[in-house]
Amino acid sequence: MGKLQTLTNGIIKENPVLVLVLGTCPTLAVSTQASNAFGMGVAATAVLLGSNIVISLLRNVISEKVRIPCYIVTIATFVTLVQMVLNAYAYDIYKALGIYLPLIVVNCIILGRAEAFANKHSVLDSTLDAIGMGIGFTLTLFVMASIREIFGNGTWYGIEIPVLKDNHISILTMAPGGFFVFGCLIAAVNKWARHKPVKRDFDGGCETCPMAASCGGDKAQCEKEGVQV
Amino acid sequence: MSVKAIFAIILTAVFINNYVLQQFLGICPFLGVSKKFDSALGMSIAVIFVMLLATVVTYPIQHFVLDQNGLGYMQTIVFILVIAALVQLVEIVLKKHIPGLHASLGVYLPLITTNCAVLGVCIANVDNYIDAATFGAGYVQALANAFGSGVGFLMAMLLFSGIRARIEDNDAPPAFKGMPITLISAAILSVAFFGFAGVIENIFG
Amino acid sequence: MSKTGTVKTDFVLPIAVLTAICLVCAALLGYFNSLTAPIIADTVAAEEAKARQAVLPEADSFTELDVDLPDVLEDGTKNFVTQVYAADNGAGYVFMVTGNGYGGKGTMKLVVGLSPEGAVLSTVTQDHKETAGMGSKTADEPYRSQWVGVTAETIDTVDAVSGATISSTHYLNSMRSVFAAYALLNR
């Protein structure tokens, strides 16, 4: 796989949110305002970059048995570092992201990339993969939040949109709007990419795997990627 | 701490601040495991159990260990490790002593480690209910909230598995087949939960 | 793991690696915490100063008053006021309140500006965990503007947010303790 492809994979073809349907919780929760979504995207990208690099560096040291705890500790460390930095230098975003900031630890994208990519690729490849996935995640969040903020609140980054300000659909900024916009975005991607409708029929263990979406429910693929249920 | 207040906390967690439909925590299992009623039930019971257990353990850790030594910044890392270890422990104990239960719940347990609803409930509990002066009252409230959040998860899962069984064969536009139509159904279910807003406050107010 | 693994490769090494990673991470976090903790304290302090300025725009600077606030104030109201500031040019007082809310104990943080005569000039909700769209309305207009001009005597004229009686009651209790603290101040 070429370096460029490693980088661009995450942005379009394997977009973590829209195609792999990972990291849905923060996507839905913080996409009410474009600025929050951007903050969340950058924070998650920083964590992903850090954890991918460290896990890739240590991939020959960490043994199979303790790999998950090792990954979790590494990821949690980076999450805490990001929390501290945001708390110190970007207090508004820190407050807006609230509980979803520590919850980056359990963002399936990050553990998923550690398992599926970083622990078997070189540091350079893992870095590129993290940057690509991070940009894909940030971009999706940003687009979704922009839609929700512009139509739901009539503003965008503090700018008031003339007509929409008086005719905003406030439900879009509330919980149901999150599900709705997310559903429509995935449908749009399906249509645009002329994907066959994303069909995920799992059986057995794969059905319950949080990362099932990333391997399309193919059990053999699941095992090959080292995802264990 | 009155019984009324405890009930208010539980009902609020189930209906108003529903973890899945209003707070967007635990969406992965909500979308992934809600296809069949049985697996939705199994997963939810496991979640209730782990949420309660995790709160039982993490709340005292925060109160007696982290807060008193100025180690608040270790919260995330300590909580996630405790949850991971607990889940492993529960699995081992179940396997050895209650194999029947392990057979039905066992497959869901490892998934729960990475379920953000569990870590979320632990962090929310220490954020909302911890009180440096007294331990007991906050602990009871935290446990009530953990239980209510778990039941809320169960309710969302069961309702949604019923809805999914019906939309499965529906004739949606091709691009909407699969995940998009599922998400839009979730949006409608979420709207339905708006109906509860204010009800609990008015009953217990 | 190969089946022919020894005790060393099967147990000692993995445990050593995991322990080492944990130790390194903890050390790293401790170090970074010592770097960022003072900055965070400054940020929070600046944020509070900004809120004080917002509720009492006429004030030039503030001095924290050294008042001894008991847990339960004289008339039986529970005290939620944590700090009291006086404007140096006599524009009024600012009360920092950590009151209860629907979201839990001590989760509703208010900043309240009182005129020297004890009427509310402005209130700001700094932090809350109320239900979005219901109790959260206590942090918004028009509920907040209802409070402008209210004194200890007219506290009952403020209408609760409909459908959010608990949140409104908590808010009211916080305000009662502000007026009680003000009374204490003026004695």
Side-chain angles (χ1 to χ4, degrees):
Chain A
M1 193 163 30
K3 301 283 181 229
L4 188 68
Q5 205 195 336
T6 313
L7 183 69
T8 54
N9 236 352
I11 303 177
I12 305 155
K13 205 171 124 231
E14 287 183 19
N15 184 298
V17 185
L18 295 175
V19 179
L20 305 183
V21 200
L22 292 175
T24 39
C25 302
T27 308
L28 292 167
V30 303
S31 61
T32 49
Q33 260 185 25
S35 53
N36 292 352
F38 189 70
M40 172 53 100
V42 172
T45 306
V47 174
L48 184 58
L49 194 59
S51 72
N52 254 15
I53 291 174
V54 169
I55 287 163
S56 169
L57 274 174
L58 296 176
R59 67 185 187 279
N60 295 324
V61 186
I62 297 173
S63 67
E64 189 75 2
K65 273 188 179 165
V66 292
R67 67 183 201 293
I68 298 286
C70 288
Y71 298 163
I72 291 180
V73 174
T74 313
I75 295 169
T77 307
F78 280 108
V79 169
T80 313
L81 289 181
V82 167
Q83 264 183 294
M84 287 173 180
V85 170
L86 284 184
N87 195 347
Y89 299 106
Y91 192 65
D92 287 341
I93 290 183
Y94 175 81
K95 253 173 62 177
L97 295 182
I99 194 170
Y100 297 99
L101 199 51
L103 288 180
I104 296 177
V105 175
V106 283
N107 188 324
C108 326
I109 297 173
I110 293 165
L111 194 60
R113 285 333 276 176
E115 274 276 284
F117 198 92
N119 71 351
K120 46 180 89 73
H121 288 87
S122 71
V123 177
L124 180 64
D125 279 342
S126 302
T127 311
L128 291 176
D129 179 68
I131 294 175
M133 285 287 163
I135 293 177
F137 181 64
T138 312
L139 218 59
T140 316
L141 239 69
F142 189 70
V143 169
M144 195 168 143
S146 299
I147 295 175
R148 287 179 73 184
E149 194 183 348
I150 292 172
F151 291 100
N153 203 29
T155 57
W156 191 72
Y157 255 93
I159 310 163
E160 290 194 0
I161 317 277
V163 183
L164 291 171
K165 182 69 204 165
D166 304 319
N167 300 297
H168 57 89
I169 314 162
S170 24
I171 198 162
L172 286 183
T173 60
M174 295 191 253
F179 285 114
F180 183 79
V181 174
F182 191 37
C184 291
L185 271 183
I186 294 181
V189 166
N190 283 351
K191 183 90 185 162
W192 175 69
R194 293 183 190 284
H195 269 296
K196 51 178 192 295
V198 188
K199 209 173 169 209
R200 295 184 179 83
D201 276 327
F202 318 124
D203 60 338
C206 262
E207 181 187 16
T208 53
C209 169
M211 286 166 230
S214 69
C215 64
D218 180 354
K219 211 170 179 192
Q221 178 77 12
C222 234
E223 277 158 10
K224 202 182 83 198
E225 297 216 334
V227 179
Q228 285 184 343
V229 181
Chain B
M1 183 47 46
S2 67
V3 178
K4 195 174 101 174
I6 301 287
F7 263 101
I9 289 176
I10 293 177
L11 291 178
T12 304
V14 175
F15 292 107
I16 297 176
N17 290 338
N18 189 290
Y19 260 41
V20 179
L21 295 170
Q22 302 297 335
Q23 315 237 53
F24 297 127
L25 295 173
I27 299 290
C28 292
F30 177 66
L31 296 175
V33 197
S34 62
K35 235 174 181 175
K36 295 198 191 80
F37 184 85
D38 291 345
S39 45
L41 185 67
M43 179 76 184
S44 310
I45 292 174
V47 165
I48 297 180
F49 182 63
V50 175
M51 271 184 174
L52 266 175
L53 197 65
T55 305
V56 166
V57 178
T58 53
Y59 189 90
I61 289 181
Q62 177 83 20
H63 190 269
F64 291 112
V65 182
L66 297 182
D67 279 357
Q68 297 194 353
N69 295 305
L71 290 172
Y73 61 92
M74 295 290 279
Q75 189 193 57
T76 314
I77 200 165
V78 168
F79 279 19
I80 186 74
L81 277 181
V82 166
I83 293 170
L86 267 180
V87 169
Q88 287 287 323
L89 198 72
V90 169
E91 210 198 345
I92 294 167
V93 171
L94 278 187
K95 206 172 188 172
K96 187 135 171 45
H97 296 290
I98 324 171
L101 195 59
H102 181 259
S104 54
L105 295 188
V107 288
Y108 305 109
L109 281 173
L111 303 175
I112 290 175
T113 310
T114 52
N115 181 343
C116 46
V118 175
L119 183 61
V121 86
C122 294
I123 295 177
N125 279 338
V126 293
D127 273 0
N128 296 353
Y129 300 117
I130 213 149
D131 180 1
T134 53
F135 176 72
Y139 199 35
V140 174
Q141 285 175 317
L143 288 174
N145 186 44
F147 178 72
S149 305
V151 174
F153 183 80
L154 170 90
M155 203 169 80
M157 288 286 275
L158 294 188
L159 283 175
F160 201 55
S161 75
I163 293 173
R164 277 188 93 166
R166 277 158 201 259
I167 58 171
E168 198 67 5
D169 309 317
N170 279 9
D171 194 17
F176 274 89
K177 280 218 168 90
M179 195 54 82
I181 197 74
T182 309
L183 283 164
I184 288 170
S185 321
I188 298 171
L189 184 58
S190 171
V191 173
F193 269 65
F194 274 174
F196 293 115
V199 171
I200 311 295
E201 286 204 26
N202 284 328
I203 290 177
F204 291 95
Chain C
M1 274 294 124
S2 60
K3 279 176 187 150
T4 53
T6 59
V7 175
K8 190 178 162 212
T9 55
D10 269 5
F11 293 101
V12 180
L13 272 180
I15 292 173
V17 169
L18 183 57
T19 316
I21 291 181
C22 286
L23 286 178
V24 170
C25 287
L28 200 69
L29 286 183
Y31 175 66
F32 268 89
N33 183 56
S34 67
L35 289 185
T36 50
I39 306 174
I40 293 171
D42 284 351
T43 318
V44 174
E47 199 72 15
E48 285 182 351
K50 223 165 77 188
R52 281 195 289 277
Q53 198 66 52
V55 293
L56 209 58
E58 292 90 43
D60 46 359
S61 58
F62 292 95
T63 313
E64 186 175 353
L65 298 181
D66 185 24
V67 277
D68 195 20
L69 295 161
D71 284 347
V72 178
L73 296 163
E74 231 163 63
D75 52 343
T77 34
K78 214 165 169 292
N79 178 45
F80 299 110
V81 177
T82 52
Q83 288 164 310
V84 185
Y85 289 84
D88 293 334
N89 61 357
Y93 301 97
V94 175
F95 296 78
M96 313 296 275
V97 188
T98 302
N100 296 341
Y102 192 51
K105 205 170 171 177
T107 54
M108 203 199 265
K109 293 193 171 161
L110 308 178
V111 183
V112 181
L114 292 194
S115 69
E117 294 76 37
V120 176
L121 292 172
S122 171
T123 64
V124 166
T125 306
Q126 236 192 339
D127 201 9
H128 73 83
K129 292 207 163 69
E130 305 310 292
T131 311
M134 304 298 296
S136 69
K137 286 183 185 157
T138 55
D140 306 331
E141 301 294 346
Y143 182 77
R144 274 176 48 212
S145 52
Q146 275 196 80
W147 280 100
V148 176
V150 169
T151 61
E153 286 75 39
T154 58
I155 194 164
D156 293 323
T157 59
V158 176
D159 293 327
V161 174
S162 75
T165 28
I166 294 187
S167 301
S168 309
T169 309
H170 282 306
Y171 201 101
L172 196 70
N173 287 339
S174 290
M175 293 304 286
R176 272 189 214 287
S177 100
V178 166
F179 289 121
Y182 170 79
L184 200 73
L185 211 65
N186 276 3
R187 237 173 338 117

